[in-house]
Amino acid sequence: MSKKHLDKIVSLCKRKGFVFPNSEIYGGLKASYDYGPLGVDLKRAISEKWWKVMTHNSNIVGLDSSIMVHPDVWEASGHVANFNDPMTDNKDNKKRYRIDDLLLQQKNKVIDALCEMISIENNNDNNTIDKISSTLLNDANKYNDALESAGVVDPFSGNVGKWTQATQFNLMFKTNAGPSEKTGKSIYLRPETAQGIYINYLLVQNSMRLKVPFGIAQIGKAFRNEIIARNFIFRTREFEQMEMQYFVHPSEDESSMNFWKKQRMDFYSSELGISNKNLKFHQHSKDALAHYAKDAFDIEYNFPFGWGEVEGIHNRTDFDLKEHEKLSGKNMMYFDAIKNEKYHPYIIETSTGLNRLFLMVLCEAYHEDTENNRIVLKLPFDLAPNKIVVCPLLKKDGLPDKAKEIFDIVSSDHKCIYDEQGSIGKRYYRQDEAGTPFGITIDHETLDNNTVTIRERDSMEQHRISLDKILEFVSKNK
RNA sequence: GCGAGUGUAGCUCAGCUGGUAGAGCACAACCUUGCCAAGGUUGGGGUCGCGCGUUCGAAUCGCGUCACUCGCUCCA
Protein backbone atom coordinates (compact mmCIF):
# COMPACT_ATOMS: atom_id res chain seq x y z
CA MET A 1 0.00 0.00 0.00
CA SER A 2 1.45 3.33 -1.01
CA LYS A 3 1.34 6.75 0.56
CA LYS A 4 -1.21 7.73 -2.05
CA HIS A 5 -3.60 5.38 -0.35
CA LEU A 6 -3.46 7.43 2.80
CA ASP A 7 -4.61 10.51 0.88
CA LYS A 8 -7.49 8.54 -0.52
CA ILE A 9 -8.43 7.26 2.91
CA VAL A 10 -8.31 10.79 4.33
CA SER A 11 -10.59 11.97 1.55
CA LEU A 12 -12.95 9.05 2.01
CA CYS A 13 -13.08 9.68 5.74
CA LYS A 14 -14.22 13.23 5.18
CA ARG A 15 -16.67 12.43 2.38
CA LYS A 16 -18.34 9.59 4.19
CA GLY A 17 -18.39 10.99 7.69
CA PHE A 18 -15.65 8.98 9.39
CA VAL A 19 -13.19 11.71 10.30
CA PHE A 20 -13.25 15.49 9.83
CA PRO A 21 -10.43 17.99 10.35
CA ASN A 22 -11.10 19.85 13.59
CA SER A 23 -11.98 23.58 13.65
CA GLU A 24 -11.93 23.72 9.88
CA ILE A 25 -13.98 26.93 9.64
CA TYR A 26 -11.21 28.69 11.58
CA GLY A 27 -8.40 27.31 9.46
CA GLY A 28 -7.92 24.13 11.43
CA LEU A 29 -5.96 23.13 14.51
CA LYS A 30 -2.79 21.15 14.02
CA ALA A 31 -3.18 17.41 14.41
CA SER A 32 -6.71 17.64 15.71
CA TYR A 33 -9.53 15.62 14.20
CA ASP A 34 -13.17 14.94 14.91
CA TYR A 35 -14.95 11.63 14.45
CA GLY A 36 -18.10 11.86 12.33
CA PRO A 37 -21.22 9.69 12.48
CA LEU A 38 -19.65 6.62 10.91
CA GLY A 39 -16.32 7.20 12.61
CA VAL A 40 -17.74 7.30 16.08
CA ASP A 41 -19.49 3.98 15.51
CA LEU A 42 -16.35 2.36 14.16
CA LYS A 43 -14.24 3.69 17.01
CA ARG A 44 -16.77 2.48 19.53
CA ALA A 45 -16.94 -0.95 17.93
CA ILE A 46 -13.16 -1.31 18.21
CA SER A 47 -13.03 -0.23 21.82
CA GLU A 48 -15.93 -2.52 22.70
CA LYS A 49 -14.06 -5.45 21.22
CA TRP A 50 -11.05 -4.58 23.33
CA TRP A 51 -13.10 -4.05 26.48
CA LYS A 52 -14.87 -7.34 26.03
CA VAL A 53 -11.69 -9.32 25.41
CA MET A 54 -10.05 -7.73 28.44
CA THR A 55 -12.71 -7.54 31.09
CA HIS A 56 -14.60 -10.71 30.28
CA ASN A 57 -11.53 -12.42 31.60
CA SER A 58 -12.48 -13.01 35.24
CA ASN A 59 -9.36 -11.52 36.79
CA ILE A 60 -9.31 -8.26 34.87
CA VAL A 61 -11.55 -5.43 36.02
CA GLY A 62 -12.33 -1.99 34.68
CA LEU A 63 -11.54 1.50 35.89
CA ASP A 64 -12.22 5.02 34.74
CA SER A 65 -9.85 7.36 36.48
CA SER A 66 -9.71 11.13 36.16
CA ILE A 67 -7.76 12.92 33.46
CA MET A 68 -6.62 15.47 36.03
CA VAL A 69 -4.75 14.09 39.00
CA HIS A 70 -2.57 15.43 41.80
CA PRO A 71 0.57 16.93 40.22
CA ASP A 72 2.77 14.76 42.43
CA VAL A 73 1.63 11.76 40.41
CA TRP A 74 3.75 13.03 37.52
CA GLU A 75 6.66 13.79 39.80
CA ALA A 76 6.60 10.23 41.05
CA SER A 77 6.13 8.72 37.61
CA GLY A 78 9.17 10.56 36.31
CA HIS A 79 7.25 12.45 33.65
CA VAL A 80 8.12 15.87 35.06
CA ALA A 81 11.82 15.08 35.21
CA ASN A 82 12.17 13.03 32.08
CA PHE A 83 10.05 14.87 29.59
CA ASN A 84 11.22 18.41 30.01
CA ASP A 85 14.48 18.14 28.16
CA PRO A 86 16.30 21.38 27.37
CA MET A 87 17.08 21.50 23.66
CA THR A 88 19.18 23.63 21.36
CA ASP A 89 19.37 24.11 17.61
CA ASN A 90 22.47 24.62 15.53
CA LYS A 91 21.57 27.52 13.26
CA ASP A 92 24.29 26.52 10.81
CA ASN A 93 22.81 23.22 9.80
CA LYS A 94 19.37 23.27 11.48
CA LYS A 95 20.13 20.22 13.60
CA ARG A 96 18.43 19.95 16.96
CA TYR A 97 19.92 18.31 20.02
CA ARG A 98 19.03 17.54 23.58
CA ILE A 99 21.57 19.56 25.52
CA ASP A 100 22.50 16.73 27.88
CA ASP A 101 23.10 14.38 24.94
CA LEU A 102 25.17 17.05 23.25
CA LEU A 103 27.31 17.74 26.30
CA LEU A 104 28.05 14.06 26.79
CA GLN A 105 29.81 14.13 23.44
CA GLN A 106 32.04 17.11 24.25
CA LYS A 107 35.70 17.22 25.23
CA ASN A 108 36.37 17.88 28.87
CA LYS A 109 37.76 21.37 28.32
CA VAL A 110 34.42 22.40 26.82
CA ILE A 111 32.61 21.18 29.91
CA ASP A 112 35.22 22.95 32.05
CA ALA A 113 34.53 26.19 30.25
CA LEU A 114 30.80 25.83 30.79
CA CYS A 115 31.26 25.00 34.45
CA GLU A 116 33.36 28.07 34.90
CA MET A 117 30.77 30.18 33.14
CA ILE A 118 28.01 29.13 35.47
CA SER A 119 30.38 28.78 38.46
CA ILE A 120 30.04 25.14 39.38
CA GLU A 121 32.61 22.42 39.82
CA ASN A 122 33.20 19.89 37.07
CA ASN A 123 32.84 16.48 38.69
CA ASN A 124 32.89 14.70 35.36
CA ASP A 125 29.55 13.06 35.99
CA ASN A 126 25.99 13.14 34.78
CA ASN A 127 25.04 15.35 37.63
CA THR A 128 27.33 18.06 36.29
CA ILE A 129 25.80 17.69 32.86
CA ASP A 130 22.31 17.96 34.30
CA LYS A 131 23.27 21.03 36.29
CA ILE A 132 24.67 22.73 33.23
CA SER A 133 21.65 22.05 31.07
CA SER A 134 19.15 23.09 33.71
CA THR A 135 21.09 26.30 34.45
CA LEU A 136 21.29 27.13 30.75
CA LEU A 137 17.57 26.66 30.60
CA ASN A 138 16.62 28.52 33.75
CA ASP A 139 18.77 31.51 32.88
CA ALA A 140 18.37 31.17 29.16
CA ASN A 141 18.75 34.88 28.48
CA LYS A 142 21.88 35.28 30.58
CA TYR A 143 23.54 32.24 28.99
CA ASN A 144 22.27 33.06 25.56
CA ASP A 145 25.54 32.20 23.77
CA ALA A 146 27.17 30.00 26.41
CA LEU A 147 27.20 26.88 24.26
CA GLU A 148 28.84 28.66 21.36
CA SER A 149 31.44 30.57 23.36
CA ALA A 150 32.38 27.43 25.28
CA GLY A 151 33.11 25.88 21.91
CA VAL A 152 30.48 23.14 21.93
CA VAL A 153 31.01 21.08 18.80
CA ASP A 154 28.22 19.77 16.61
CA PRO A 155 28.84 16.00 16.37
CA PHE A 156 27.35 16.01 12.89
CA SER A 157 29.46 18.75 11.31
CA GLY A 158 32.49 18.50 13.61
CA ASN A 159 32.56 22.29 13.95
CA VAL A 160 31.56 24.60 16.77
CA GLY A 161 27.86 25.19 16.30
CA LYS A 162 25.94 28.41 16.14
CA TRP A 163 23.69 27.40 19.04
CA THR A 164 20.37 28.92 19.93
CA GLN A 165 19.57 29.52 23.58
CA ALA A 166 18.27 26.57 25.55
CA THR A 167 14.59 25.90 24.99
CA GLN A 168 12.35 23.64 26.95
CA PHE A 169 10.00 21.25 25.28
CA ASN A 170 7.21 20.36 27.61
CA LEU A 171 5.67 17.10 26.60
CA MET A 172 2.89 17.48 29.17
CA PHE A 173 0.00 19.92 28.87
CA LYS A 174 0.00 22.20 31.85
CA THR A 175 -3.19 23.87 32.97
CA ASN A 176 -4.68 25.54 35.95
CA ALA A 177 -7.17 24.02 38.38
CA GLY A 178 -9.33 26.58 40.07
CA PRO A 179 -11.05 29.70 38.72
CA SER A 180 -8.19 32.06 39.50
CA GLU A 181 -4.78 31.79 37.88
CA LYS A 182 -3.19 33.02 41.09
CA THR A 183 -4.72 30.82 43.73
CA GLY A 184 -5.26 27.81 41.51
CA LYS A 185 -2.94 24.88 41.35
CA SER A 186 -0.88 24.02 38.29
CA ILE A 187 -1.81 20.59 37.09
CA TYR A 188 -1.17 18.47 34.02
CA LEU A 189 -3.46 16.70 31.65
CA ARG A 190 -2.42 13.06 31.91
CA PRO A 191 0.13 11.92 29.31
CA GLU A 192 -0.85 8.30 29.95
CA THR A 193 -3.78 6.59 31.63
CA ALA A 194 -1.56 4.07 33.41
CA GLN A 195 -0.82 6.23 36.44
CA GLY A 196 -4.51 6.49 37.25
CA ILE A 197 -4.51 2.72 37.51
CA TYR A 198 -1.40 2.54 39.69
CA ILE A 199 -2.57 5.05 42.28
CA ASN A 200 -5.86 3.17 42.57
CA TYR A 201 -4.62 -0.36 42.39
CA LEU A 202 -4.96 -1.26 46.07
CA LEU A 203 -8.48 0.20 46.23
CA VAL A 204 -9.42 -1.83 43.18
CA GLN A 205 -7.80 -4.95 44.56
CA ASN A 206 -9.53 -4.58 47.91
CA SER A 207 -12.96 -3.70 46.65
CA MET A 208 -12.99 -6.56 44.17
CA ARG A 209 -11.15 -9.00 46.49
CA LEU A 210 -8.58 -9.70 43.77
CA LYS A 211 -5.55 -11.91 44.13
CA VAL A 212 -2.34 -11.46 42.18
CA PRO A 213 -2.17 -11.96 39.26
CA PHE A 214 -4.93 -9.58 38.24
CA GLY A 215 -5.40 -6.80 35.74
CA ILE A 216 -7.01 -3.38 35.56
CA ALA A 217 -8.26 -2.11 32.22
CA GLN A 218 -9.01 1.45 31.27
CA ILE A 219 -10.01 3.38 28.16
CA GLY A 220 -9.49 7.11 28.16
CA LYS A 221 -7.98 10.21 26.65
CA ALA A 222 -4.37 11.19 27.12
CA PHE A 223 -2.49 14.29 26.01
CA ARG A 224 1.04 14.84 24.83
CA ASN A 225 2.67 17.89 23.28
CA GLU A 226 4.25 15.95 20.46
CA ILE A 227 6.98 17.84 18.68
CA ILE A 228 5.77 16.61 15.39
CA ALA A 229 2.24 15.47 14.91
CA ARG A 230 1.77 13.85 11.56
CA ASN A 231 0.20 11.18 9.40
CA PHE A 232 -3.46 12.02 9.79
CA ILE A 233 -4.80 10.58 13.06
CA PHE A 234 -1.69 8.46 13.70
CA ARG A 235 -0.03 10.94 16.02
CA THR A 236 -2.27 13.56 17.57
CA ARG A 237 -1.82 15.57 20.73
CA GLU A 238 -5.09 14.38 22.15
CA PHE A 239 -5.58 10.66 21.81
CA GLU A 240 -7.37 7.73 23.31
CA GLN A 241 -5.52 4.97 25.09
CA MET A 242 -6.70 1.50 25.91
CA GLU A 243 -4.47 0.19 28.63
CA MET A 244 -4.48 -2.95 30.70
CA GLN A 245 -2.04 -3.14 33.55
CA TYR A 246 -1.43 -6.64 34.77
CA PHE A 247 -0.11 -7.07 38.32
CA VAL A 248 2.04 -10.15 38.83
CA HIS A 249 4.43 -11.62 41.35
CA PRO A 250 7.97 -10.36 40.58
CA SER A 251 9.04 -13.89 39.69
CA GLU A 252 6.31 -14.17 37.07
CA ASP A 253 7.13 -11.10 35.02
CA GLU A 254 8.74 -12.80 32.06
CA SER A 255 6.17 -15.53 31.64
CA SER A 256 3.41 -12.96 31.91
CA MET A 257 5.12 -10.80 29.33
CA ASN A 258 5.21 -13.73 26.92
CA PHE A 259 1.59 -14.56 27.61
CA TRP A 260 0.42 -11.05 26.87
CA LYS A 261 2.55 -10.70 23.78
CA LYS A 262 0.72 -13.62 22.26
CA GLN A 263 -2.70 -12.53 23.52
CA ARG A 264 -2.34 -9.08 22.13
CA MET A 265 -1.00 -10.15 18.75
CA ASP A 266 -3.86 -12.63 18.42
CA PHE A 267 -6.36 -9.90 19.17
CA TYR A 268 -5.50 -8.08 15.96
CA SER A 269 -5.96 -11.00 13.66
CA SER A 270 -8.90 -12.70 15.32
CA GLU A 271 -10.91 -9.71 16.54
CA LEU A 272 -10.03 -6.92 14.14
CA GLY A 273 -9.41 -8.95 11.01
CA ILE A 274 -5.87 -7.69 10.44
CA SER A 275 -3.70 -9.83 8.21
CA ASN A 276 -0.66 -11.30 9.95
CA LYS A 277 1.65 -10.18 7.19
CA ASN A 278 0.90 -6.58 8.13
CA LEU A 279 1.80 -7.07 11.80
CA LYS A 280 5.09 -7.56 13.56
CA PHE A 281 6.83 -7.22 16.88
CA HIS A 282 9.54 -4.72 17.47
CA GLN A 283 11.67 -5.13 20.57
CA HIS A 284 13.15 -2.01 22.10
CA SER A 285 16.91 -2.14 22.41
CA LYS A 286 18.17 -1.94 25.98
CA ASP A 287 19.47 1.60 25.66
CA ALA A 288 16.27 2.86 24.09
CA LEU A 289 14.09 1.63 26.92
CA ALA A 290 11.96 4.12 28.82
CA HIS A 291 13.09 5.08 32.29
CA TYR A 292 10.68 2.63 33.94
CA ALA A 293 10.95 -0.38 31.66
CA LYS A 294 12.87 -3.61 31.91
CA ASP A 295 11.72 -4.99 28.60
CA ALA A 296 9.50 -3.60 25.87
CA PHE A 297 7.86 -4.84 22.69
CA ASP A 298 5.82 -2.88 20.23
CA ILE A 299 3.28 -4.35 17.92
CA GLU A 300 3.65 -2.57 14.61
CA TYR A 301 1.33 -2.36 11.65
CA ASN A 302 2.34 -1.81 8.06
CA PHE A 303 0.68 1.56 7.44
CA PRO A 304 0.75 3.26 4.02
CA PHE A 305 3.50 5.51 5.43
CA GLY A 306 5.51 2.60 6.84
CA TRP A 307 5.57 0.44 9.93
CA GLY A 308 4.09 2.21 12.92
CA GLU A 309 3.48 1.29 16.52
CA VAL A 310 -0.07 0.41 17.48
CA GLU A 311 0.57 -1.16 20.86
CA GLY A 312 3.30 -1.32 23.47
CA ILE A 313 3.75 -4.30 25.77
CA HIS A 314 6.11 -3.28 28.53
CA ASN A 315 7.51 -4.80 31.66
CA ARG A 316 7.29 -1.76 33.94
CA THR A 317 8.63 -3.73 36.91
CA ASP A 318 7.76 -2.33 40.35
CA PHE A 319 9.17 1.07 39.41
CA ASP A 320 5.92 3.03 39.46
CA LEU A 321 4.53 1.54 42.66
CA LYS A 322 7.79 2.08 44.50
CA GLU A 323 8.05 5.66 43.30
CA HIS A 324 4.52 6.41 44.42
CA GLU A 325 5.25 4.84 47.76
CA LYS A 326 8.36 6.98 48.11
CA LEU A 327 6.68 10.27 47.28
CA SER A 328 3.30 9.73 48.93
CA GLY A 329 4.61 7.94 51.97
CA LYS A 330 1.75 5.47 51.61
CA ASN A 331 2.15 1.73 51.51
CA MET A 332 1.83 0.43 47.95
CA MET A 333 2.59 -3.21 48.71
CA TYR A 334 0.31 -6.10 48.01
CA PHE A 335 -0.30 -8.58 50.81
CA ASP A 336 -0.58 -12.22 49.88
CA ALA A 337 -2.60 -13.74 52.72
CA ILE A 338 -1.93 -17.31 51.66
CA LYS A 339 1.84 -17.06 51.55
CA ASN A 340 1.83 -14.37 54.23
CA GLU A 341 4.06 -12.32 51.96
CA LYS A 342 4.21 -8.59 51.22
CA TYR A 343 5.66 -7.26 48.01
CA HIS A 344 5.38 -4.74 45.20
CA PRO A 345 3.88 -6.53 42.23
CA TYR A 346 5.55 -6.23 38.86
CA ILE A 347 3.41 -4.64 36.21
CA ILE A 348 3.07 -5.90 32.67
CA GLU A 349 1.50 -3.13 30.64
CA THR A 350 -0.40 -3.53 27.40
CA SER A 351 -1.04 -0.09 26.02
CA THR A 352 -2.69 0.61 22.70
CA GLY A 353 -3.88 3.71 20.89
CA LEU A 354 -7.51 3.52 19.88
CA ASN A 355 -7.08 6.14 17.18
CA ARG A 356 -4.23 4.15 15.69
CA LEU A 357 -6.29 0.98 15.70
CA PHE A 358 -9.01 2.93 13.95
CA LEU A 359 -6.59 4.02 11.23
CA MET A 360 -5.16 0.51 10.98
CA VAL A 361 -8.61 -1.02 10.52
CA LEU A 362 -9.42 1.51 7.79
CA CYS A 363 -6.12 0.93 5.98
CA GLU A 364 -6.64 -2.81 6.15
CA ALA A 365 -10.23 -2.56 4.90
CA TYR A 366 -9.60 -0.13 2.05
CA HIS A 367 -9.81 -1.79 -1.38
CA GLU A 368 -9.94 -0.46 -4.85
CA ASP A 369 -11.98 -2.93 -6.88
CA THR A 370 -10.76 -1.88 -10.32
CA GLU A 371 -12.66 -4.67 -12.05
CA ASN A 372 -15.98 -3.26 -10.90
CA ASN A 373 -14.74 0.29 -10.66
CA ARG A 374 -15.64 0.74 -7.05
CA ILE A 375 -14.08 1.38 -3.69
CA VAL A 376 -14.91 -1.13 -0.97
CA LEU A 377 -14.24 -0.92 2.72
CA LYS A 378 -14.00 -4.56 3.65
CA LEU A 379 -14.71 -3.98 7.33
CA PRO A 380 -15.48 -7.01 9.47
CA PHE A 381 -19.23 -7.20 10.15
CA ASP A 382 -18.82 -6.41 13.85
CA LEU A 383 -16.89 -3.25 13.10
CA ALA A 384 -18.98 -1.87 10.24
CA PRO A 385 -20.90 1.26 11.31
CA ASN A 386 -23.97 0.16 9.35
CA LYS A 387 -24.67 -3.53 8.88
CA ILE A 388 -27.42 -3.53 6.28
CA VAL A 389 -28.73 -1.07 3.73
CA VAL A 390 -32.42 -1.49 2.95
CA CYS A 391 -33.53 -0.32 -0.50
CA PRO A 392 -36.73 -0.33 -2.47
CA LEU A 393 -35.78 -1.30 -6.02
CA LEU A 394 -37.87 1.60 -7.34
CA LYS A 395 -39.27 4.67 -5.72
CA LYS A 396 -42.86 3.82 -6.65
CA ASP A 397 -45.58 1.16 -6.63
CA GLY A 398 -45.59 1.01 -2.83
CA LEU A 399 -42.07 -0.41 -2.70
CA PRO A 400 -40.75 2.35 -0.38
CA ASP A 401 -43.52 1.65 2.14
CA LYS A 402 -42.75 -2.03 2.15
CA ALA A 403 -39.04 -1.29 2.41
CA LYS A 404 -39.55 0.97 5.41
CA GLU A 405 -41.59 -1.74 7.06
CA ILE A 406 -38.74 -4.18 6.59
CA PHE A 407 -36.22 -1.57 7.66
CA ASP A 408 -38.03 -1.19 10.98
CA ILE A 409 -38.02 -4.93 11.57
CA VAL A 410 -34.37 -5.54 10.70
CA SER A 411 -33.26 -2.41 12.56
CA SER A 412 -34.22 -3.88 15.87
CA ASP A 413 -31.37 -6.37 15.53
CA HIS A 414 -28.82 -4.54 13.42
CA LYS A 415 -27.85 -0.97 12.74
CA CYS A 416 -29.40 -0.38 9.32
CA ILE A 417 -29.67 2.43 6.86
CA TYR A 418 -32.47 3.18 4.42
CA ASP A 419 -31.80 4.47 0.91
CA GLU A 420 -34.15 5.06 -2.00
CA GLN A 421 -32.12 7.69 -3.81
CA GLY A 422 -30.74 6.93 -7.27
CA SER A 423 -30.31 3.71 -9.20
CA ILE A 424 -29.96 0.52 -7.24
CA GLY A 425 -26.37 -0.02 -8.35
CA LYS A 426 -25.42 3.44 -7.24
CA ARG A 427 -26.89 2.79 -3.83
CA TYR A 428 -24.94 -0.45 -3.48
CA TYR A 429 -21.72 1.31 -4.44
CA ARG A 430 -22.36 4.11 -1.99
CA GLN A 431 -22.60 1.61 0.83
CA ASP A 432 -19.62 -0.43 -0.38
CA GLU A 433 -17.52 2.66 0.16
CA ALA A 434 -18.87 3.06 3.69
CA GLY A 435 -18.27 -0.60 4.50
CA THR A 436 -21.88 -1.75 4.87
CA PRO A 437 -21.70 -5.56 4.57
CA PHE A 438 -25.21 -6.35 3.29
CA GLY A 439 -27.89 -4.84 1.07
CA ILE A 440 -31.51 -5.89 1.08
CA THR A 441 -33.64 -4.94 -1.91
CA ILE A 442 -37.41 -4.92 -2.01
CA ASP A 443 -39.07 -5.43 -5.40
CA HIS A 444 -42.53 -6.28 -6.73
CA GLU A 445 -41.99 -9.91 -5.94
CA THR A 446 -41.56 -8.96 -2.29
CA LEU A 447 -45.12 -7.67 -2.29
CA ASP A 448 -46.35 -11.01 -3.61
CA ASN A 449 -44.35 -13.56 -1.63
CA ASN A 450 -42.33 -11.76 1.08
CA THR A 451 -38.95 -12.54 -0.41
CA VAL A 452 -36.09 -10.08 -0.91
CA THR A 453 -32.70 -10.12 -2.54
CA ILE A 454 -29.78 -9.84 -0.20
CA ARG A 455 -26.43 -8.76 -1.57
CA GLU A 456 -23.00 -9.28 -0.11
CA ARG A 457 -20.58 -6.38 -0.16
CA ASP A 458 -17.31 -8.18 -0.90
CA SER A 459 -18.44 -10.79 -3.42
CA MET A 460 -21.36 -8.75 -4.83
CA GLU A 461 -23.31 -12.01 -4.86
CA GLN A 462 -27.07 -11.90 -4.53
CA HIS A 463 -29.47 -14.38 -2.98
CA ARG A 464 -33.23 -14.50 -2.95
CA ILE A 465 -34.45 -15.27 0.52
CA SER A 466 -37.68 -14.93 2.42
CA LEU A 467 -38.15 -12.12 4.89
CA ASP A 468 -38.02 -14.29 7.98
CA LYS A 469 -34.67 -15.73 6.92
CA ILE A 470 -32.83 -12.39 6.83
CA LEU A 471 -31.39 -12.58 10.34
CA GLU A 472 -30.38 -16.17 9.87
CA PHE A 473 -28.67 -15.36 6.60
CA VAL A 474 -26.82 -12.43 8.10
CA SER A 475 -25.54 -14.34 11.12
CA LYS A 476 -24.46 -17.23 8.92
CA ASN A 477 -22.65 -15.13 6.35
CA LYS A 478 -21.24 -12.24 8.37
C1' G B 1 11.22 23.74 15.62
C1' C B 2 14.04 24.14 10.63
C1' G B 3 13.87 23.44 5.15
C1' A B 4 10.90 22.44 0.69
C1' G B 5 6.08 21.99 -1.48
C1' U B 6 0.78 22.65 -1.33
C1' G B 7 -3.97 25.37 0.15
C1' U B 8 -9.82 27.40 -5.52
C1' A B 9 -17.43 24.16 -4.30
C1' G B 10 -18.44 18.22 0.33
C1' C B 11 -14.33 15.35 -2.80
C1' U B 12 -10.58 15.46 -7.02
C1' C B 13 -8.78 19.33 -9.67
C1' A B 14 -8.50 23.35 -14.05
C1' G B 15 -7.89 28.65 -14.10
C1' C B 16 -1.65 30.92 -19.39
C1' U B 17 2.38 36.50 -18.48
C1' G B 18 -3.08 40.27 -12.68
C1' G B 19 -9.20 42.35 -15.36
C1' U B 20 -13.77 40.49 -9.41
C1' A B 21 -14.38 31.97 -10.86
C1' G B 22 -14.98 26.72 -13.84
C1' A B 23 -15.23 21.11 -14.69
C1' G B 24 -16.08 16.10 -13.18
C1' C B 25 -17.88 13.51 -9.16
C1' A B 26 -20.98 14.16 -4.83
C1' C B 27 -25.64 16.40 -2.97
C1' A B 28 -31.26 17.87 -3.54
C1' A B 29 -36.00 17.83 -6.57
C1' C B 30 -38.65 15.81 -10.67
C1' C B 31 -38.67 12.38 -14.84
C1' U B 32 -36.56 7.75 -16.59
C1' U B 33 -34.80 3.05 -14.82
C1' G B 34 -37.30 -4.20 -12.96
C1' C B 35 -30.81 -5.72 -9.37
C1' C B 36 -24.87 -3.55 -9.46
C1' A B 37 -21.99 3.72 -10.60
C1' A B 38 -21.67 7.20 -14.50
C1' G B 39 -29.76 8.64 -18.77
C1' G B 40 -32.60 13.58 -18.90
C1' U B 41 -34.19 18.36 -16.78
C1' U B 42 -33.60 21.73 -12.84
C1' G B 43 -31.28 23.43 -8.47
C1' G B 44 -28.28 24.51 -3.90
C1' G B 45 -23.23 25.34 -2.73
C1' G B 46 -17.04 29.17 -3.27
C1' U B 47 -15.89 36.89 -0.40
C1' C B 48 -10.36 31.30 -4.40
C1' G B 49 -7.20 29.14 3.94
C1' C B 50 -6.82 33.94 6.71
C1' G B 51 -4.61 39.01 7.19
C1' C B 52 -1.80 43.01 5.34
C1' G B 53 0.55 45.25 1.21
C1' U B 54 1.62 46.52 -4.27
C1' U B 55 -1.94 47.98 -8.17
C1' C B 56 -7.07 51.68 -11.32
C1' G B 57 -7.93 46.38 -10.48
C1' A B 58 -5.31 40.11 -7.21
C1' A B 59 -7.44 33.42 -6.94
C1' U B 60 -3.14 35.09 -9.93
C1' C B 61 2.51 39.39 -7.45
C1' G B 62 5.04 40.41 -2.23
C1' C B 63 5.11 39.80 3.12
C1' G B 64 3.05 37.59 7.41
C1' U B 65 0.03 33.86 9.53
C1' C B 66 -2.74 29.16 9.89
C1' A B 67 -3.30 24.20 8.09
C1' C B 68 -1.71 19.90 5.27
C1' U B 69 2.28 16.87 2.77
C1' C B 70 7.48 15.50 2.41
C1' G B 71 12.59 15.66 4.48
C1' C B 72 15.50 16.60 8.94
C1' U B 73 14.75 16.52 14.28
C1' C B 74 11.86 14.22 18.28
C1' C B 75 9.07 10.20 19.97
C1' A B 76 6.99 7.22 27.21
Side-chain angles (χ1 to χ4, degrees), chain A residues 318-370:
Chain A
D318 54 6
F319 174 87
D320 296 278
L321 296 181
K322 278 184 169 163
E323 290 298 311
H324 283 304
E325 184 165 290
K326 235 186 268 171
L327 193 62
S328 69
K330 299 289 191 303
N331 171 45
M332 295 296 279
M333 281 200 279
Y334 167 80
F335 175 61
D336 183 330
I338 298 167
K339 293 184 189 155
N340 197 23
E341 182 190 9
K342 268 187 185 171
Y343 60 90
H344 295 100
Y346 268 39
I347 296 170
I348 305 303
E349 165 184 86
T350 74
S351 171
T352 183
L354 176 53
N355 316 75
R356 289 184 178 183
L357 299 197
F358 181 99
L359 183 59
M360 171 180 73
V361 164
L362 278 182
C363 290
E364 186 79 8
Y366 184 84
H367 278 86
E368 289 179 353
D369 179 355
T370 47

Side-chain angles (χ1 to χ4, degrees), chain A residues 372 374 428 432 437-440 453-464 473 477:
Chain A
N372 296 296
R374 60 175 190 152
Y428 288 153
D432 288 342
F438 294 105
I440 291 175
T453 50
I454 185 158
R455 169 196 183 264
E456 294 178 84
R457 175 195 64 199
D458 298 352
S459 64
M460 299 171 75
E461 275 173 23
Q462 298 191 135
H463 310 268
R464 186 105 209 160
F473 182 93
N477 292 281

